[in-house]
Amino acid sequence: MTWQVFCRYVLGFTPVWASETALLLLGWVAFLGIAKGIREHSHIALGMLVDRLPRPLRLVTLRLAPLLMAVFGVYLIVQGGEFTQLMMSSTLPATGLPTSVQYAAMPVAGVLILLYSALQLFGLLPLDGADNGSAQGPSSSGQSLRDEDIR
C-alpha cells in the first residue's frame, strides 16, 4: 500500500498490480489473524457471560469453546479446500497469479485453528499463547489461569 500511495502521489502513476496484491495480502492476514487470535486467546469471547455462570457450567464452557473452534477450523479446511481447487484454473488479472492463491488462506488458517484448538483442548497451550513466563501465562502447576479461577 505504501508503494501504491508513493507511486500515485509522487511519481504520478499507480502500479496495476499494487491494489490486487494488497487485497490478496489482506485476505491472508485476516485468516492468519484468526488463527493467531485463537492461539493467544485474544479472540472475541463472551467472558462477561461465562464469568456469571456457576463453576461447573464455566468449566464446561471453557472446554466447549476450543471444541467449537476446532469445528470451525475443519469447516475452513473443507470449504477453503474446495474453493482453492475450484479456482486453480483461473488467474488474477493484474498479477497473473492463480486465483487459488487467494482462497488457499482458508485451509491454511483452518489447519492452524484446528491445531491450536486441539492443543487448548488437551491443555498444552498456555493462556497467553507464549512461553514467556509472564503473570498471564500458565501457572506453576501447568494449568491455565482460567482453570485455576474455576476451582
Side-chain angles (χ1 to χ4, degrees):
M1 289 304 298
T2 304
W3 179 250
Q4 182 179 3
V5 171
F6 175 78
C7 285
R8 181 181 298 151
Y9 292 108
V10 176
L11 302 178
F13 77 95
T14 302
V16 180
W17 55 267
S19 178
E20 187 173 284
T21 303
L23 288 174
L24 177 72
L25 292 175
L26 177 66
W28 273 89
V29 167
F31 278 103
L32 293 177
I34 293 169
K36 183 179 187 293
I38 288 173
R39 183 189 75 199
E40 296 183 0
H41 299 269
S42 62
H43 52 80
I44 296 174
L46 300 174
M48 190 170 82
L49 175 67
V50 173
D51 291 344
R52 293 180 183 198
L53 292 173
R55 288 181 182 194
L57 283 177
R58 213 178 312 161
L59 180 59
V60 169
T61 304
L62 290 174
R63 295 294 178 223
L64 185 61
L67 183 62
L68 293 174
M69 287 184 255
V71 169
F72 177 65
V74 170
Y75 175 79
L76 283 178
I77 293 168
V78 171
Q79 290 299 310
E82 288 179 15
F83 286 145
T84 302
Q85 285 180 341
L86 285 173
M87 297 299 167
M88 287 184 125
S89 61
S90 66
T91 59
L92 296 170
T95 59
L97 291 171
T99 308
S100 60
V101 170
Q102 250 179 336
Y103 295 100
M106 291 172 67
V108 169
V111 167
L112 292 172
I113 289 169
L114 184 60
L115 173 69
Y116 297 145
S117 299
L119 290 173
Q120 287 177 19
L121 277 170
F122 296 110
L124 300 173
L125 192 64
L127 183 61
D128 66 352
D131 292 324
N132 59 7
S134 70
Q136 293 178 350
S139 68
S140 59
S141 66
Q143 295 177 339
S144 70
L145 291 176
R146 288 192 180 242
D147 288 345
E148 290 174 358
D149 291 339
I150 292 171
R151 291 185 198 139

